[in-house]
Amino acid sequence: MNAEELYHKLKVVQERRNLIFNKDRLKTLELLDGLLVNKERYGYMSCPCRLASGTAEYDRDIICPCLYCQSDIEEFGSCYCSLYVSRAWNEGVIPPVYVPERRPPEKTVF
């Protein structure tokens, strides 16, 4: 599977969950490609913007869409890596801003 195929596969499923892809198609496909690389590397699609441990149970919080995704979108308009965004973010109603890392520091050291 490539990033374009993953895009079409996830788009329908994620929109039912109120998760909308970033309208920047190139950025979205790059992030989806990162998910595919992590799937091949670890066996699961961990967030491409975070360092995974290689243990699915330990990384459960960063398997895409991550545990922090919905909170990030509600507060900032996008998730940490900006793969998923709000409609207002995509339409330019709210500006893109830095989304701080919500993952606890102890989860980022292996």
Side-chain angles (χ1 to χ4, degrees):
M1 178 179 301
N2 64 34
E4 190 70 43
E5 293 168 328
L6 183 60
Y7 177 89
H8 292 290
K9 182 177 178 180
L10 290 180
K11 186 171 175 19
V12 175
V13 173
Q14 300 299 38
E15 284 183 354
R16 277 189 244 137
R17 298 173 65 196
N18 226 12
L19 293 173
I20 302 160
F21 282 131
N22 186 328
K23 71 178 180 181
D24 182 338
R25 184 69 171 237
L26 181 60
K27 179 173 178 75
T28 297
L29 291 176
E30 287 173 355
L31 290 166
L32 291 174
D33 190 49
L35 287 175
L36 291 169
V37 167
N38 285 345
K39 171 109 171 117
E40 187 171 315
R41 181 181 294 152
Y42 304 119
Y44 53 94
M45 290 193 290
S46 64
C47 178
C49 297
R50 293 179 168 109
L51 186 58
S53 71
T55 304
E57 187 57 39
Y58 188 84
D59 292 335
R60 187 157 313 283
D61 63 322
I62 61 168
I63 294 175
C64 189
C66 74
L67 178 68
Y68 317 103
C69 181
Q70 208 60 48
S71 298
D72 286 347
I73 293 170
E74 289 170 12
E75 188 172 346
F76 301 103
S78 74
C79 69
Y80 182 68
C81 64
S82 299
L83 176 60
Y84 295 110
V85 300
S86 68
R87 289 192 197 290
W89 192 96
N90 256 351
E91 294 168 0
V93 174
I94 59 172
V97 295
Y98 171 75
V99 178
E101 174 64 273
R102 290 184 193 261
R103 193 173 199 212
E106 62 272 11
K107 294 282 283 187
T108 62
V109 179
F110 315 114

